[in-house]
């Protein structure tokens, strides 16, 4: 019998991309593997990507984990990279442990991953040391993200802050613009490209083009989260057309 897995997502209320890109990747996987997936979300209020709203939003993540564990999901993804990274170095480990504990206390224990933790782990998986980063945030928040990645042991040799303050506008950013942004960066000196350090900025349609253009593996927050979920479910982390990390090479 084909097993169906329940994917839980803790999502900022204004996020419109995580619930499209992650299901899109897992639907692609369904074309080559027997497992099936359903998707279930709980939302935390957030409209403007500023530190105060991010901290208030993160405080709602416990309620979301509890709600999703009522549905007995198999894995949960906390779908806001900057909210975690803005809380201080290493916070993804604190958040993941606390939220997993909430699901256990509710009798529906499920592992909780964060897109922040998934991204830094993905860079380790592909053996990257030097990276370039594209992020939609205002410059101070982008610098927080870059600092967080550096604290995890990576050299960020260049980054672009697209400075889009409204989270809905982040979701409307055209991924076709990403290749030209990368072209303006010293990608030749990097081991990998973080094409979207944000689960709200669409990037999936541009991944194959940027990998072909640069000859470098491309990681995004959504791709890294999908990889981490599949690994947590003990499933082969392979998705056609979703970049090097999900190619089956890792």
């Amino acid at each position: 019998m084909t097993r169906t897995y329940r994917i839980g997502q803790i999502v900022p209320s204004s996020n419109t991309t995580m619930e499209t890109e992650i299901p899109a990747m897992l639907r692609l996987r369904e074309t080559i593997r027997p497992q099936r997936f359903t998707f279930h979300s709980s939302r935390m209020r957030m409209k403007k990507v500023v530190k105060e709203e991010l901290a208030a939003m993160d405080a709602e993540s416990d309620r979301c984990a509890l709600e999703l564990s009522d549905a007995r999901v198999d894995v949960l993804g906390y779908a806001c990279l900057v909210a975690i990274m803005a809380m201080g170095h290493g916070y993804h480990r604190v958040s993941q442990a606390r939220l997993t504990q909430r699901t256990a206390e509710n009798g529906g224990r499920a592992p909780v991953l964060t897109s922040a933790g998934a991204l830094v782990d993905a860079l380790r998986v592909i053996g990257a040391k030097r990276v370039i980063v594209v992020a939609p945030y205002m410059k101070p928040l982008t610098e927080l993200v870059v600092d967080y990645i550096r604290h995890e042991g990576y050299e960020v040799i260049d980054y672009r802050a697209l400075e889009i303050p409204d989270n809905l506008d982040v979701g409307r950013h055209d991924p076709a613009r990403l290749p030209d942004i990368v072209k303006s960066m010293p990608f030749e000196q990097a081991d990998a490209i973080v094409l979207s350090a944000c689960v709200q900025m669409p990037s999936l349609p541009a991944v194959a083009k940027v990998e072909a253009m640069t000859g470098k593996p491309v990681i995004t927050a959504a791709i890294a989260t999908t990889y981490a979920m599949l690994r947590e479910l003990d499933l082969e982390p392979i998705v056609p057309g979703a970049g090097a990390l999900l190619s089956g090479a890792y």
Side-chain angles (χ1 to χ4, degrees):
M1 197 174 87
T2 300
R3 167 105 194 251
T4 297
Y5 293 87
R6 292 176 185 163
I7 306 294
Q9 299 199 77
I10 299 172
V11 183
S13 56
S14 51
N15 187 298
T16 54
T17 304
M18 193 71 166
E19 292 152 306
T20 54
E21 289 200 344
I22 286 184
M25 283 185 266
L26 292 175
R27 291 285 176 249
L28 284 168
R29 190 183 186 279
E30 287 178 348
T31 66
I32 59 165
R33 293 293 184 273
Q35 295 84 20
R36 297 295 177 259
F37 304 92
T38 62
F39 304 94
H40 314 276
S41 301
S42 180
R43 305 185 99 71
M44 317 169 278
R45 289 298 306 282
M46 189 268 279
K47 291 162 83 175
K48 293 270 188 274
V49 193
V50 294
K51 200 170 181 184
E52 297 72 27
E53 277 203 41
L54 292 170
M57 183 192 79
D58 182 65
E60 292 189 48
S61 60
D62 293 69
R63 168 186 57 78
C64 294
L66 204 60
E67 288 176 3
L68 288 165
S69 66
D70 284 345
R72 299 300 187 256
V73 296
D74 295 295
V75 66
L76 284 84
Y78 183 130
C80 188
L81 179 138
V82 70
I84 294 288
M85 292 191 176
M87 297 291 282
H89 292 158
Y91 181 69
H92 68 275
R93 297 177 185 88
V94 176
S95 173
Q96 289 167 185
R98 188 185 77 243
L99 298 179
T100 299
Q101 180 62 25
R102 294 290 173 271
T103 70
E105 290 163 0
N106 195 35
R109 190 190 185 286
V112 179
L113 313 162
T114 66
S115 50
L119 183 78
V120 295
D121 289 346
L123 294 173
R124 197 165 294 118
V125 167
I126 65 171
K129 295 276 189 286
R130 293 157 58 81
V131 299
I132 60 171
V133 175
V134 182
Y137 319 118
M138 304 305 285
K139 198 164 184 189
L141 273 182
T142 303
E143 287 172 345
L144 269 180
V145 167
V146 167
D147 183 56
Y148 195 102
I149 294 169
R150 284 176 174 150
H151 189 261
E152 290 291 322
Y154 305 100
E155 186 183 349
V156 180
I157 60 172
D158 195 20
Y159 67 90
R160 287 287 178 278
L162 304 186
E163 303 209 84
I164 309 169
D166 186 282
N167 204 40
L168 277 175
D169 289 337
V170 173
R172 296 184 186 112
H173 185 268
D174 184 357
R177 294 176 58 196
L178 292 170
D180 282 341
I181 291 168
V182 172
K183 264 185 201 165
S184 72
M185 302 171 76
F187 63 82
E188 301 92 345
Q189 300 163 39
D191 302 319
I193 295 160
V194 178
L195 190 61
S196 178
C198 174
V199 289
Q200 170 71 332
M201 187 169 75
S203 55
L204 193 57
V207 169
K209 182 171 183 179
V210 174
E211 286 193 335
M213 179 184 88
T214 62
K216 307 286 183 178
V218 168
I219 304 289
T220 73
I223 284 171
T225 304
T226 301
Y227 178 90
M229 284 176 166
L230 289 169
R231 289 298 302 265
E232 195 63 57
L233 295 170
D234 204 23
L235 297 175
E236 193 181 1
I238 182 165
V239 173
L245 182 67
L246 289 166
S247 66
Y250 303 98

